Amino acid sequence: MSGVGMTKTLPLSALHEAASARFGPFAGYSMPISYPLGVMKEHLHTRSDAGLFDISHMSHIEVEGPDAGRFIAHACPYHAGDQAIGTGRYTYMLNETGGMIDDLIVSRLSESGYLVVANGACADKDLAHLKALAADFDVSVRPRPRVFLALQGPKAAEVLSRHLPESGSLTFMQVLVTDASTFVSRSGYTGEDGFEIAIDPGADAVAFAENLANEPEVEWIGLGARDSLRIEAGLPLYGQDMDETVNPLTAGLVWAIPKDLRTDGTFIGAKAIAERVELGADRKRSGLTPEGKAPVRGDALLFDSDSDGAAEIGVVTSGGFGPSCGHPVAIASVDRTFTIGDTVYADVRGRKLACTLQKLPFVPHKYKRGKEQ
């Protein structure tokens, strides 16, 4: 995982220090990487019980005004005006060449109000981008600093119901505002059922976090396990699996653009997306299972054989050990001529290691979906 310097501290930093967290730089913050339980056990605890993550490095941006739906639909490639109130949606912002500025969750909170949750490392550029676009719309765009927690795992719903009883009615990607200071979404980044809870810093956020952490089913979980959990779930990470040079087709994320907009949209980057749809992606996102126990990390090049004259056919974008799988797992960007079950070779310190292309995710998603989802 990469960071841009240890420049900011989380609002709950003292809680993590008291929990003996090991800190490291990520997205401009000093973030908990692991706790005394250790990355392996933190990962497995989230899969079996409930893990509590501090994700307050992520950026919350409120968009409000009569033109809010049109504005979001201009910045992001979907029909934001048709989005149901009380729902969230995975989307992204694109540049004019179809590259991904950032991937986002956009929730519609009211007829004229949306909440954009963006990656922490992209917070400044995202806010600047949205504010620049807002000049042509009757909307306000403003950041809302918050404590942001994720409670993930098969026992997450049971635990959260003790503190926010109304959360139990939510299904995957539904959201609610419980009061003026608290926002809850049934979503997450682990493949497990779970919730993300945003609380204004002065609204008893510390006490709320302490109460969750003290539940018998709950353990604090750091970035190390968060990374292995999301790789097993086949979930891409901005800055590793995609960036402004990568289009949604290559990233395997074109599904987030409604079919009618892929060839006839008016959002930023629509022309480039239509051209790419016509041509098809030259590479695609795939799971990768290396032989043996040695992990294959991000940036490892992929080849079509283990011979000296092998052709380069892709790159590993994320990789590590999958504790739930019991073997290394990786996400790769691979030439579109290769398919599931094919063997490719990763260059690991000058040695070509055989790997099998595998359908994502490695671990099935366990989201609580509604009848229509």
Side-chain angles (χ1 to χ4, degrees):
M1 291 176 292
S2 61
V4 294
M6 205 177 294
T7 59
K8 302 176 185 177
T9 57
L10 299 174
L12 302 182
S13 183
L15 283 187
H16 304 303
E17 292 175 1
S20 301
R22 179 175 66 87
F23 290 84
F26 182 79
Y29 283 82
S30 175
M31 295 285 295
I33 304 300
S34 64
Y35 298 83
L37 195 62
V39 172
M40 180 81 73
K41 290 183 179 178
E42 289 173 30
H43 176 116
L44 295 174
H45 185 87
T46 303
R47 293 272 188 245
S48 65
D49 291 271
L52 182 60
F53 305 74
D54 189 341
I55 52 173
S56 303
H57 63 295
M58 299 189 74
S59 172
H60 286 217
I61 303 170
E62 293 181 329
V63 176
E64 177 73 38
D67 289 345
R70 287 200 309 115
F71 172 74
I72 294 293
H74 178 62
C76 303
Y78 79 101
H79 299 290
D82 296 337
Q83 183 175 357
I85 295 171
T87 65
R89 184 183 178 99
Y90 177 82
T91 186
Y92 28 76
M93 296 187 295
L94 303 173
N95 57 31
E96 292 290 358
T97 61
M100 301 178 70
I101 295 173
D102 196 9
D103 66 332
L104 318 162
I105 298 292
V106 178
S107 297
R108 190 171 194 178
L109 305 183
S110 67
E111 189 66 31
S112 61
Y114 293 76
L115 175 68
V116 177
V117 178
N119 286 294
C122 300
D124 292 341
K125 75 169 183 177
D126 287 358
L127 183 60
H129 178 69
L130 289 172
K131 282 190 170 183
L133 296 181
D136 296 326
F137 296 84
D138 186 5
V139 294
S140 64
V141 175
R142 59 182 180 273
R144 184 166 182 175
R146 281 168 152 169
V147 170
F148 199 29
L149 302 170
L151 186 67
Q152 301 283 293
K155 297 182 181 177
E158 177 186 348
V159 170
L160 191 60
S161 68
R162 300 171 197 156
H163 303 272
L164 294 173
E166 55 269 62
S167 64
S169 64
L170 297 176
T171 58
F172 183 59
M173 296 303 284
Q174 288 186 331
V175 306
L176 63 86
V177 178
T178 62
D179 55 45
S181 62
T182 305
F183 164 85
V184 183
S185 170
R186 196 154 196 166
S187 59
Y189 200 51
T190 63
E192 296 292 329
D193 182 28
F195 302 83
E196 294 181 335
I197 310 109
I199 310 168
D200 288 347
D204 296 325
V206 173
F208 183 84
E210 284 182 317
N211 289 338
L212 284 183
N214 288 334
E215 292 286 4
E217 302 94 336
V218 176
E219 293 282 353
W220 279 113
I221 312 296
L223 280 181
R226 181 173 167 84
D227 201 47
S228 57
L229 287 159
R230 66 95 187 168
I231 294 174
E232 284 188 345
L235 301 175
L237 176 65
Y238 191 85
Q240 289 186 204
D241 301 289
M242 68 281 202
D243 57 30
E244 292 196 38
T245 69
V246 176
N247 65 71
L249 278 78
T250 301
L253 298 170
V254 72
W255 57 264
I257 305 178
K259 288 184 178 180
D260 63 311
L261 295 183
R262 296 175 195 175
T263 54
D264 190 27
T266 58
F267 55 88
I268 295 173
K271 181 180 178 182
I273 293 300
E275 291 173 351
R276 177 47 61 186
V277 167
E278 183 176 356
L279 293 171
D282 53 351
R283 286 187 175 183
K284 57 187 177 182
R285 180 161 56 97
S286 176
L288 198 70
T289 303
E291 287 186 359
K293 295 292 185 181
V296 175
R297 305 292 181 183
D299 296 330
L301 297 178
L302 297 174
F303 296 87
D304 63 354
S305 76
D306 58 358
S307 66
D308 291 339
E312 183 183 324
I313 49 89
V315 64
V316 175
T317 53
S318 292
F321 188 79
S324 306
C325 301
H327 57 73
V329 292
I331 298 173
S333 180
V334 186
D335 187 281
R336 65 182 180 183
T337 59
F338 288 78
T339 190
I340 302 304
D342 286 349
T343 299
V344 298
Y345 296 84
D347 188 327
V348 180
R349 294 183 294 277
R351 183 172 66 93
K352 290 189 174 69
L353 179 66
C355 306
T356 302
L357 296 182
Q358 180 174 329
K359 185 178 180 180
L360 292 170
F362 296 97
V363 173
H365 295 167
K366 300 173 185 174
Y367 308 132
K368 182 185 177 182
R369 298 187 182 274
K371 293 181 180 179
E372 298 180 357
Q373 292 179 304

